[in-house]
Amino acid sequence: MTETIKFPWNQRDLTDQLIKSEHLIQSQGERVFTELFNSEESIAVNDNREGSLKNAIVSIKDLVDVKGYKTRAGSIFLEATEPASEDAEAVKALRKAGAYFIGHTNMTELAYSGLGLNPHYGTPMSPLYQNEARIAGGSTSGGAVSVALGIADVALGTDTGGSLRIPAAFCGVTGFKPTQSSVSRQGVRPLSDCLDSVGPIAHTVAECELAWGVLANNEAETPVAEVAHFVIPTNFGLDQLDEEVKQAFMAIVDVLKKTPGVCVEEKALPFLDEYKTLPVWQFSAFEAMEYYSKHYQVDLNALDPRVASRLKRASTIDQSQFLETCKQRESLIQRYQEEANNCVFLLPTVAVLPPKLDDLVNNEDYDRINLLCLRNTTLANVLDGCSVSLPYQHKGNSIGVMLTAANGEDKHVLSLAKWVERIILDSSSRN
């Protein structure tokens, strides 16, 4: 049933929140939008703002244009560019809804990794493991941290293979990758035109839904689901799990199976075996190299060497080979519809707990862990679907529980996520 939801920004002293946010975000090394802190003028504007996000503080990933500020995409070579002449369409929508923008948040350079490391501006760490130097995940690393620390109510980010959901899982918050076509990408630096989506990170599903509704111009509230059917694919996404992740996922699955109205089906889906043969790397490598070579003078030696090495892979394929990969992707989307009837997948968001920064020094370890972190989340991007990651605490560890649905099923998956979120909260209160 539909509920009237009170959001934390509805009743707040904006002045105090901005002062707190300024201190926190500067301590995290992010780039503050200074007009927010021009005292009387910025606070006075609040009296004239209306909309569902009035008084909400939003952080903006450094891929997204904000008028008057440079969009660096986590890179130093874009320092030479001019400040944005206008807001990205997503920023315009949030601004119209009454939101305030705190600053550009740090990220993996060019958004090209699921780990969030950035040698130019620093690497955000997960607030959940303050004494262990565990990464926040990427590429929307700073965005997830800004929400987890209370710097922002909502983080605007992008997701090419998990870049909203991985950091959400690693930071104990909620991340929503919507259907790609539902949110404009105008004014957002691309990594892959085929796979990129723009979406929110927030504390709860309801907050993500509200932000997405503003971004998609579809603010009708979705009721909490009353029945649910989830499929756990036995031939995908369950191997190489950290023991802590495996135990936590099995625990929440057990709770869901005992919940009236919930059906959890475990079965193999043949199309997922073909999916494993898809050279997913081609989308980001080929399309990013094409974009940045066309629009900028890119010096690969000035990039993070790990990003540069991925871009260089674009030279190993030609246009015809890339088009064949695109055709294979379209076939997989069709088979998902036919073989799985566009089922809703239930999986751990990430196979591992947040790695320690020291675990990523060696390039071979970095590559292996990066691929493992991206494995489960990338499925939604390839299938052109929508997906949400929910935080779940189990025996002192936090994992992400992920629901993935078909193209255009955003409201359905959010409705289911609200129910799962409630089940998680009820389960946690009993333990």
Short mmCIF file of all heavy atoms in Angstrom, two decimals, residues 368-429:
data_model
loop_
_atom_site.label_atom_id
_atom_site.label_comp_id
_atom_site.label_asym_id
_atom_site.label_seq_id
_atom_site.Cartn_x
_atom_site.Cartn_y
_atom_site.Cartn_z
N ARG A 368 41.97 -8.43 -11.35
CA ARG A 368 41.12 -9.56 -10.93
C ARG A 368 39.99 -9.08 -10.02
O ARG A 368 38.82 -9.46 -10.22
CB ARG A 368 41.99 -10.60 -10.20
CG ARG A 368 41.20 -11.75 -9.57
CD ARG A 368 42.14 -12.71 -8.85
NE ARG A 368 42.95 -12.04 -7.85
CZ ARG A 368 42.51 -11.74 -6.61
NH1 ARG A 368 41.27 -12.04 -6.26
NH2 ARG A 368 43.32 -11.15 -5.75
N ILE A 369 40.30 -8.26 -9.04
CA ILE A 369 39.29 -7.80 -8.09
C ILE A 369 38.30 -6.86 -8.78
O ILE A 369 37.09 -6.89 -8.51
CB ILE A 369 39.96 -7.13 -6.88
CG1 ILE A 369 40.75 -8.17 -6.09
CG2 ILE A 369 38.92 -6.47 -5.97
CD1 ILE A 369 41.63 -7.58 -4.99
N ASN A 370 38.79 -6.02 -9.68
CA ASN A 370 37.91 -5.12 -10.41
C ASN A 370 36.87 -5.90 -11.21
O ASN A 370 35.66 -5.59 -11.16
CB ASN A 370 38.74 -4.24 -11.35
CG ASN A 370 37.89 -3.23 -12.11
OD1 ASN A 370 37.08 -2.51 -11.53
ND2 ASN A 370 38.07 -3.19 -13.42
N LEU A 371 37.29 -6.90 -11.93
CA LEU A 371 36.36 -7.72 -12.72
C LEU A 371 35.36 -8.44 -11.82
O LEU A 371 34.17 -8.54 -12.16
CB LEU A 371 37.13 -8.72 -13.57
CG LEU A 371 37.89 -8.14 -14.76
CD1 LEU A 371 38.72 -9.23 -15.44
CD2 LEU A 371 36.94 -7.50 -15.76
N LEU A 372 35.83 -8.92 -10.68
CA LEU A 372 34.94 -9.63 -9.76
C LEU A 372 33.90 -8.67 -9.17
O LEU A 372 32.73 -9.03 -9.02
CB LEU A 372 35.76 -10.29 -8.66
CG LEU A 372 35.01 -11.24 -7.71
CD1 LEU A 372 34.33 -12.36 -8.50
CD2 LEU A 372 35.99 -11.83 -6.70
N CYS A 373 34.32 -7.46 -8.85
CA CYS A 373 33.39 -6.48 -8.30
C CYS A 373 32.32 -6.09 -9.32
O CYS A 373 31.16 -5.86 -8.97
CB CYS A 373 34.14 -5.23 -7.84
SG CYS A 373 35.06 -5.45 -6.30
N LEU A 374 32.69 -6.02 -10.59
CA LEU A 374 31.77 -5.61 -11.65
C LEU A 374 30.88 -6.75 -12.15
O LEU A 374 29.87 -6.48 -12.82
CB LEU A 374 32.56 -5.04 -12.83
CG LEU A 374 33.22 -3.68 -12.63
CD1 LEU A 374 34.30 -3.46 -13.68
CD2 LEU A 374 32.18 -2.58 -12.70
N ARG A 375 31.25 -7.96 -11.85
CA ARG A 375 30.61 -9.11 -12.49
C ARG A 375 29.08 -9.12 -12.36
O ARG A 375 28.35 -9.19 -13.36
CB ARG A 375 31.17 -10.41 -11.91
CG ARG A 375 30.58 -11.67 -12.55
CD ARG A 375 30.95 -12.91 -11.76
NE ARG A 375 30.38 -12.90 -10.40
CZ ARG A 375 30.71 -13.78 -9.44
NH1 ARG A 375 31.62 -14.71 -9.71
NH2 ARG A 375 30.14 -13.71 -8.26
N ASN A 376 28.57 -9.07 -11.15
CA ASN A 376 27.13 -9.21 -10.95
C ASN A 376 26.36 -7.98 -11.40
O ASN A 376 25.24 -8.09 -11.92
CB ASN A 376 26.84 -9.49 -9.47
CG ASN A 376 27.28 -10.87 -9.04
OD1 ASN A 376 27.96 -11.58 -9.79
ND2 ASN A 376 26.93 -11.27 -7.84
N THR A 377 26.93 -6.81 -11.19
CA THR A 377 26.20 -5.58 -11.51
C THR A 377 26.10 -5.32 -13.00
O THR A 377 25.09 -4.80 -13.48
CB THR A 377 26.88 -4.38 -10.83
OG1 THR A 377 28.28 -4.40 -11.12
CG2 THR A 377 26.67 -4.40 -9.32
N THR A 378 27.13 -5.67 -13.77
CA THR A 378 27.17 -5.36 -15.20
C THR A 378 26.03 -6.02 -15.96
O THR A 378 25.61 -5.52 -17.02
CB THR A 378 28.52 -5.77 -15.80
OG1 THR A 378 29.57 -5.09 -15.11
CG2 THR A 378 28.61 -5.41 -17.28
N LEU A 379 25.50 -7.10 -15.44
CA LEU A 379 24.42 -7.81 -16.10
C LEU A 379 23.25 -6.88 -16.42
O LEU A 379 22.69 -6.92 -17.53
CB LEU A 379 23.93 -8.97 -15.23
CG LEU A 379 22.79 -9.82 -15.80
CD1 LEU A 379 23.26 -10.57 -17.04
CD2 LEU A 379 22.30 -10.83 -14.75
N ALA A 380 22.88 -6.01 -15.50
CA ALA A 380 21.75 -5.10 -15.72
C ALA A 380 22.03 -4.13 -16.85
O ALA A 380 21.12 -3.79 -17.63
CB ALA A 380 21.43 -4.33 -14.44
N ASN A 381 23.26 -3.67 -16.97
CA ASN A 381 23.61 -2.73 -18.03
C ASN A 381 23.58 -3.41 -19.40
O ASN A 381 23.06 -2.84 -20.36
CB ASN A 381 25.00 -2.14 -17.79
CG ASN A 381 25.10 -1.46 -16.42
OD1 ASN A 381 25.27 -2.13 -15.41
ND2 ASN A 381 25.01 -0.14 -16.39
N VAL A 382 24.12 -4.60 -19.47
CA VAL A 382 24.13 -5.33 -20.73
C VAL A 382 22.70 -5.67 -21.17
O VAL A 382 22.36 -5.58 -22.36
CB VAL A 382 24.98 -6.61 -20.63
CG1 VAL A 382 24.82 -7.48 -21.88
CG2 VAL A 382 26.45 -6.24 -20.44
N LEU A 383 21.84 -6.03 -20.21
CA LEU A 383 20.45 -6.39 -20.54
C LEU A 383 19.56 -5.16 -20.70
O LEU A 383 18.36 -5.29 -20.91
CB LEU A 383 19.88 -7.31 -19.46
CG LEU A 383 20.55 -8.68 -19.31
CD1 LEU A 383 19.88 -9.49 -18.22
CD2 LEU A 383 20.53 -9.45 -20.64
N ASP A 384 20.15 -3.97 -20.57
CA ASP A 384 19.40 -2.71 -20.70
C ASP A 384 18.25 -2.66 -19.69
O ASP A 384 17.16 -2.19 -19.99
CB ASP A 384 18.86 -2.54 -22.12
CG ASP A 384 18.41 -1.11 -22.41
OD1 ASP A 384 18.86 -0.20 -21.69
OD2 ASP A 384 17.59 -0.92 -23.33
N GLY A 385 18.54 -3.14 -18.47
CA GLY A 385 17.51 -3.21 -17.45
C GLY A 385 17.67 -2.15 -16.38
O GLY A 385 18.32 -1.12 -16.58
N CYS A 386 17.05 -2.41 -15.24
CA CYS A 386 17.15 -1.53 -14.08
C CYS A 386 17.50 -2.38 -12.87
O CYS A 386 17.19 -3.58 -12.84
CB CYS A 386 15.85 -0.76 -13.85
SG CYS A 386 14.35 -1.78 -13.83
N SER A 387 18.14 -1.77 -11.87
CA SER A 387 18.67 -2.57 -10.77
C SER A 387 18.88 -1.71 -9.54
O SER A 387 19.28 -0.54 -9.66
CB SER A 387 20.00 -3.21 -11.22
OG SER A 387 20.54 -4.07 -10.24
N VAL A 388 18.63 -2.29 -8.37
CA VAL A 388 18.80 -1.55 -7.12
C VAL A 388 19.58 -2.40 -6.14
O VAL A 388 19.40 -3.62 -6.06
CB VAL A 388 17.43 -1.15 -6.53
CG1 VAL A 388 16.54 -2.36 -6.27
CG2 VAL A 388 17.59 -0.32 -5.27
N SER A 389 20.50 -1.76 -5.41
CA SER A 389 21.27 -2.42 -4.37
C SER A 389 20.83 -1.91 -3.02
O SER A 389 20.80 -0.70 -2.78
CB SER A 389 22.77 -2.16 -4.56
OG SER A 389 23.53 -2.73 -3.49
N LEU A 390 20.50 -2.84 -2.11
CA LEU A 390 20.06 -2.51 -0.76
C LEU A 390 21.11 -2.93 0.25
O LEU A 390 21.71 -4.01 0.13
CB LEU A 390 18.75 -3.26 -0.43
CG LEU A 390 17.59 -3.05 -1.39
CD1 LEU A 390 16.48 -4.05 -1.10
CD2 LEU A 390 17.07 -1.64 -1.29
N PRO A 391 21.36 -2.13 1.27
CA PRO A 391 22.34 -2.51 2.29
C PRO A 391 21.77 -3.55 3.25
O PRO A 391 20.61 -3.47 3.65
CB PRO A 391 22.63 -1.19 3.01
CG PRO A 391 21.38 -0.40 2.85
CD PRO A 391 20.80 -0.78 1.52
N TYR A 392 22.58 -4.52 3.62
CA TYR A 392 22.16 -5.56 4.56
C TYR A 392 23.31 -5.85 5.52
O TYR A 392 24.41 -6.18 5.09
CB TYR A 392 21.75 -6.83 3.81
CG TYR A 392 21.38 -7.98 4.72
CD1 TYR A 392 20.37 -7.85 5.67
CD2 TYR A 392 22.04 -9.20 4.62
CE1 TYR A 392 20.03 -8.91 6.50
CE2 TYR A 392 21.70 -10.27 5.44
CZ TYR A 392 20.70 -10.11 6.38
OH TYR A 392 20.36 -11.16 7.21
N GLN A 393 23.03 -5.70 6.80
CA GLN A 393 24.03 -5.95 7.84
C GLN A 393 23.87 -7.36 8.38
O GLN A 393 22.76 -7.80 8.70
CB GLN A 393 23.86 -4.95 8.99
CG GLN A 393 23.91 -3.49 8.57
CD GLN A 393 25.31 -3.02 8.26
OE1 GLN A 393 26.29 -3.56 8.80
NE2 GLN A 393 25.42 -2.02 7.41
N HIS A 394 25.00 -8.07 8.48
CA HIS A 394 24.95 -9.45 8.98
C HIS A 394 26.26 -9.76 9.70
O HIS A 394 27.34 -9.70 9.10
CB HIS A 394 24.75 -10.43 7.81
CG HIS A 394 24.71 -11.87 8.23
ND1 HIS A 394 23.62 -12.43 8.87
CD2 HIS A 394 25.61 -12.86 8.09
CE1 HIS A 394 23.86 -13.70 9.11
NE2 HIS A 394 25.07 -13.99 8.65
N LYS A 395 26.16 -10.02 10.98
CA LYS A 395 27.31 -10.39 11.81
C LYS A 395 28.46 -9.39 11.67
O LYS A 395 29.63 -9.77 11.52
CB LYS A 395 27.78 -11.81 11.47
CG LYS A 395 26.76 -12.88 11.83
CD LYS A 395 27.30 -14.28 11.57
CE LYS A 395 26.29 -15.35 12.00
NZ LYS A 395 26.80 -16.73 11.75
N GLY A 396 28.11 -8.12 11.69
CA GLY A 396 29.13 -7.08 11.66
C GLY A 396 29.62 -6.70 10.28
O GLY A 396 30.46 -5.81 10.15
N ASN A 397 29.12 -7.36 9.25
CA ASN A 397 29.52 -7.03 7.88
C ASN A 397 28.33 -6.46 7.12
O ASN A 397 27.17 -6.80 7.40
CB ASN A 397 30.03 -8.28 7.16
CG ASN A 397 31.30 -8.82 7.76
OD1 ASN A 397 32.30 -8.10 7.83
ND2 ASN A 397 31.28 -10.07 8.20
N SER A 398 28.62 -5.60 6.16
CA SER A 398 27.58 -5.02 5.32
C SER A 398 27.78 -5.47 3.88
O SER A 398 28.88 -5.37 3.34
CB SER A 398 27.63 -3.49 5.40
OG SER A 398 26.60 -2.91 4.63
N ILE A 399 26.71 -5.99 3.29
CA ILE A 399 26.76 -6.37 1.87
C ILE A 399 25.64 -5.64 1.13
O ILE A 399 24.79 -4.99 1.74
CB ILE A 399 26.62 -7.89 1.67
CG1 ILE A 399 25.17 -8.35 1.96
CG2 ILE A 399 27.62 -8.66 2.50
CD1 ILE A 399 24.83 -9.69 1.35
N GLY A 400 25.65 -5.77 -0.17
CA GLY A 400 24.55 -5.28 -0.97
C GLY A 400 23.70 -6.45 -1.44
O GLY A 400 24.21 -7.49 -1.86
N VAL A 401 22.38 -6.29 -1.33
CA VAL A 401 21.42 -7.25 -1.86
C VAL A 401 20.80 -6.60 -3.10
O VAL A 401 20.21 -5.52 -3.01
CB VAL A 401 20.33 -7.58 -0.82
CG1 VAL A 401 19.29 -8.53 -1.42
CG2 VAL A 401 20.95 -8.17 0.43
N MET A 402 20.94 -7.25 -4.24
CA MET A 402 20.59 -6.60 -5.51
C MET A 402 19.39 -7.25 -6.19
O MET A 402 19.32 -8.47 -6.34
CB MET A 402 21.80 -6.64 -6.45
CG MET A 402 21.60 -5.91 -7.76
SD MET A 402 23.13 -5.74 -8.71
CE MET A 402 23.50 -7.47 -9.07
N LEU A 403 18.46 -6.41 -6.62
CA LEU A 403 17.33 -6.81 -7.44
C LEU A 403 17.54 -6.23 -8.83
O LEU A 403 17.79 -5.04 -8.98
CB LEU A 403 16.01 -6.30 -6.87
CG LEU A 403 15.73 -6.56 -5.39
CD1 LEU A 403 14.35 -5.99 -5.02
CD2 LEU A 403 15.81 -8.03 -5.06
N THR A 404 17.42 -7.06 -9.87
CA THR A 404 17.63 -6.62 -11.25
C THR A 404 16.43 -7.02 -12.08
O THR A 404 16.00 -8.18 -12.06
CB THR A 404 18.91 -7.25 -11.84
OG1 THR A 404 20.03 -6.79 -11.08
CG2 THR A 404 19.08 -6.86 -13.29
N ALA A 405 15.86 -6.04 -12.80
CA ALA A 405 14.66 -6.28 -13.60
C ALA A 405 14.88 -5.79 -15.03
O ALA A 405 15.91 -5.18 -15.35
CB ALA A 405 13.46 -5.58 -12.96
N ALA A 406 13.88 -6.02 -15.87
CA ALA A 406 14.00 -5.73 -17.29
C ALA A 406 13.81 -4.24 -17.59
O ALA A 406 13.41 -3.45 -16.74
CB ALA A 406 12.95 -6.54 -18.06
N ASN A 407 14.10 -3.88 -18.82
CA ASN A 407 13.94 -2.52 -19.31
C ASN A 407 12.53 -2.01 -19.03
O ASN A 407 11.54 -2.68 -19.30
CB ASN A 407 14.21 -2.50 -20.82
CG ASN A 407 14.07 -1.13 -21.42
OD1 ASN A 407 12.98 -0.62 -21.62
ND2 ASN A 407 15.20 -0.51 -21.73
N GLY A 408 12.45 -0.81 -18.45
CA GLY A 408 11.16 -0.19 -18.19
C GLY A 408 10.44 -0.65 -16.95
O GLY A 408 9.36 -0.14 -16.62
N GLU A 409 11.03 -1.59 -16.21
CA GLU A 409 10.39 -2.13 -15.01
C GLU A 409 10.85 -1.40 -13.75
O GLU A 409 10.87 -1.97 -12.66
CB GLU A 409 10.69 -3.62 -14.88
CG GLU A 409 10.04 -4.47 -15.95
CD GLU A 409 8.51 -4.44 -15.82
OE1 GLU A 409 8.01 -4.70 -14.70
OE2 GLU A 409 7.84 -4.17 -16.83
N ASP A 410 11.21 -0.13 -13.88
CA ASP A 410 11.77 0.63 -12.76
C ASP A 410 10.81 0.69 -11.57
O ASP A 410 11.22 0.45 -10.43
CB ASP A 410 12.11 2.05 -13.22
CG ASP A 410 13.08 2.07 -14.37
OD1 ASP A 410 12.66 1.75 -15.50
OD2 ASP A 410 14.26 2.38 -14.16
N LYS A 411 9.58 1.04 -11.81
CA LYS A 411 8.64 1.17 -10.70
C LYS A 411 8.37 -0.19 -10.04
O LYS A 411 8.19 -0.28 -8.83
CB LYS A 411 7.34 1.80 -11.19
CG LYS A 411 7.48 3.31 -11.44
CD LYS A 411 6.15 3.96 -11.68
CE LYS A 411 6.31 5.48 -11.75
NZ LYS A 411 6.68 6.06 -10.43
N HIS A 412 8.35 -1.23 -10.86
CA HIS A 412 8.14 -2.57 -10.31
C HIS A 412 9.30 -2.98 -9.40
O HIS A 412 9.09 -3.46 -8.28
CB HIS A 412 7.99 -3.57 -11.45
CG HIS A 412 7.81 -4.99 -11.01
ND1 HIS A 412 6.86 -5.39 -10.07
CD2 HIS A 412 8.48 -6.13 -11.36
CE1 HIS A 412 6.94 -6.68 -9.88
NE2 HIS A 412 7.91 -7.16 -10.64
N VAL A 413 10.53 -2.77 -9.87
CA VAL A 413 11.68 -3.18 -9.06
C VAL A 413 11.80 -2.31 -7.81
O VAL A 413 12.21 -2.78 -6.74
CB VAL A 413 12.97 -3.19 -9.89
CG1 VAL A 413 13.57 -1.80 -10.04
CG2 VAL A 413 14.01 -4.13 -9.29
N LEU A 414 11.43 -1.03 -7.90
CA LEU A 414 11.44 -0.17 -6.72
C LEU A 414 10.38 -0.59 -5.72
O LEU A 414 10.60 -0.55 -4.50
CB LEU A 414 11.24 1.29 -7.14
CG LEU A 414 12.42 1.96 -7.83
CD1 LEU A 414 11.99 3.26 -8.50
CD2 LEU A 414 13.57 2.20 -6.87
N SER A 415 9.22 -1.00 -6.22
CA SER A 415 8.16 -1.50 -5.35
C SER A 415 8.61 -2.74 -4.59
O SER A 415 8.40 -2.87 -3.38
CB SER A 415 6.92 -1.81 -6.19
OG SER A 415 5.89 -2.37 -5.40
N LEU A 416 9.26 -3.64 -5.31
CA LEU A 416 9.79 -4.86 -4.66
C LEU A 416 10.91 -4.50 -3.68
O LEU A 416 10.99 -5.08 -2.59
CB LEU A 416 10.34 -5.81 -5.73
CG LEU A 416 9.32 -6.44 -6.68
CD1 LEU A 416 10.04 -7.18 -7.79
CD2 LEU A 416 8.39 -7.39 -5.93
N ALA A 417 11.74 -3.55 -4.07
CA ALA A 417 12.86 -3.15 -3.21
C ALA A 417 12.37 -2.55 -1.89
O ALA A 417 12.98 -2.75 -0.84
CB ALA A 417 13.76 -2.16 -3.94
N LYS A 418 11.27 -1.81 -1.95
CA LYS A 418 10.70 -1.25 -0.71
C LYS A 418 10.29 -2.37 0.24
O LYS A 418 10.48 -2.27 1.46
CB LYS A 418 9.48 -0.38 -1.02
CG LYS A 418 9.81 0.94 -1.67
CD LYS A 418 8.52 1.72 -1.93
CE LYS A 418 8.78 3.03 -2.63
NZ LYS A 418 7.53 3.77 -2.92
N TRP A 419 9.73 -3.43 -0.32
CA TRP A 419 9.31 -4.56 0.52
C TRP A 419 10.53 -5.28 1.09
O TRP A 419 10.57 -5.60 2.27
CB TRP A 419 8.45 -5.51 -0.31
CG TRP A 419 7.67 -6.49 0.53
CD1 TRP A 419 7.50 -6.47 1.90
CD2 TRP A 419 6.97 -7.62 0.06
NE1 TRP A 419 6.72 -7.53 2.30
CE2 TRP A 419 6.38 -8.25 1.19
CE3 TRP A 419 6.76 -8.18 -1.19
CZ2 TRP A 419 5.60 -9.40 1.09
CZ3 TRP A 419 5.98 -9.31 -1.29
CH2 TRP A 419 5.42 -9.93 -0.16
N VAL A 420 11.52 -5.55 0.24
CA VAL A 420 12.72 -6.22 0.72
C VAL A 420 13.41 -5.35 1.78
O VAL A 420 13.91 -5.86 2.79
CB VAL A 420 13.68 -6.53 -0.45
CG1 VAL A 420 15.00 -7.09 0.07
CG2 VAL A 420 13.03 -7.52 -1.42
N GLU A 421 13.45 -4.06 1.56
CA GLU A 421 14.03 -3.14 2.54
C GLU A 421 13.32 -3.27 3.88
O GLU A 421 13.97 -3.31 4.94
CB GLU A 421 13.92 -1.72 2.01
CG GLU A 421 14.50 -0.64 2.91
CD GLU A 421 14.31 0.73 2.30
OE1 GLU A 421 13.13 1.12 2.06
OE2 GLU A 421 15.31 1.42 2.06
N ARG A 422 12.02 -3.34 3.86
CA ARG A 422 11.24 -3.49 5.10
C ARG A 422 11.55 -4.83 5.77
O ARG A 422 11.70 -4.90 6.99
CB ARG A 422 9.75 -3.38 4.79
CG ARG A 422 8.85 -3.50 5.99
CD ARG A 422 7.40 -3.38 5.61
NE ARG A 422 7.08 -2.06 5.09
CZ ARG A 422 5.90 -1.72 4.59
NH1 ARG A 422 4.93 -2.64 4.49
NH2 ARG A 422 5.67 -0.51 4.17
N ILE A 423 11.66 -5.88 4.95
CA ILE A 423 11.98 -7.21 5.49
C ILE A 423 13.36 -7.19 6.14
O ILE A 423 13.58 -7.76 7.22
CB ILE A 423 11.89 -8.27 4.37
CG1 ILE A 423 10.44 -8.44 3.92
CG2 ILE A 423 12.46 -9.61 4.86
CD1 ILE A 423 10.29 -9.27 2.65
N ILE A 424 14.31 -6.53 5.48
CA ILE A 424 15.66 -6.42 6.04
C ILE A 424 15.63 -5.69 7.38
O ILE A 424 16.26 -6.12 8.36
CB ILE A 424 16.58 -5.70 5.05
CG1 ILE A 424 16.92 -6.61 3.86
CG2 ILE A 424 17.87 -5.23 5.73
CD1 ILE A 424 17.69 -5.93 2.75
N LEU A 425 14.90 -4.59 7.45
CA LEU A 425 14.82 -3.82 8.69
C LEU A 425 14.16 -4.63 9.80
O LEU A 425 14.60 -4.62 10.95
CB LEU A 425 14.05 -2.52 8.45
CG LEU A 425 14.76 -1.49 7.58
CD1 LEU A 425 13.83 -0.30 7.27
CD2 LEU A 425 16.03 -0.99 8.26
N ASP A 426 13.09 -5.35 9.46
CA ASP A 426 12.41 -6.19 10.45
C ASP A 426 13.33 -7.30 10.93
O ASP A 426 13.39 -7.62 12.12
CB ASP A 426 11.14 -6.79 9.85
CG ASP A 426 10.04 -5.76 9.65
OD1 ASP A 426 10.17 -4.65 10.22
OD2 ASP A 426 9.09 -6.06 8.91
N SER A 427 14.07 -7.89 9.99
CA SER A 427 15.00 -8.96 10.35
C SER A 427 16.10 -8.45 11.25
O SER A 427 16.49 -9.11 12.22
CB SER A 427 15.60 -9.58 9.07
OG SER A 427 16.61 -10.50 9.38
N SER A 428 16.62 -7.25 10.93
CA SER A 428 17.69 -6.67 11.73
C SER A 428 17.24 -6.35 13.14
O SER A 428 17.99 -6.51 14.12
CB SER A 428 18.23 -5.41 11.05
OG SER A 428 18.75 -5.71 9.78
N SER A 429 16.00 -5.90 13.29
CA SER A 429 15.48 -5.53 14.61
C SER A 429 15.29 -6.74 15.50
O SER A 429 15.32 -6.64 16.72
CB SER A 429 14.17 -4.76 14.47
OG SER A 429 13.15 -5.61 13.93
#
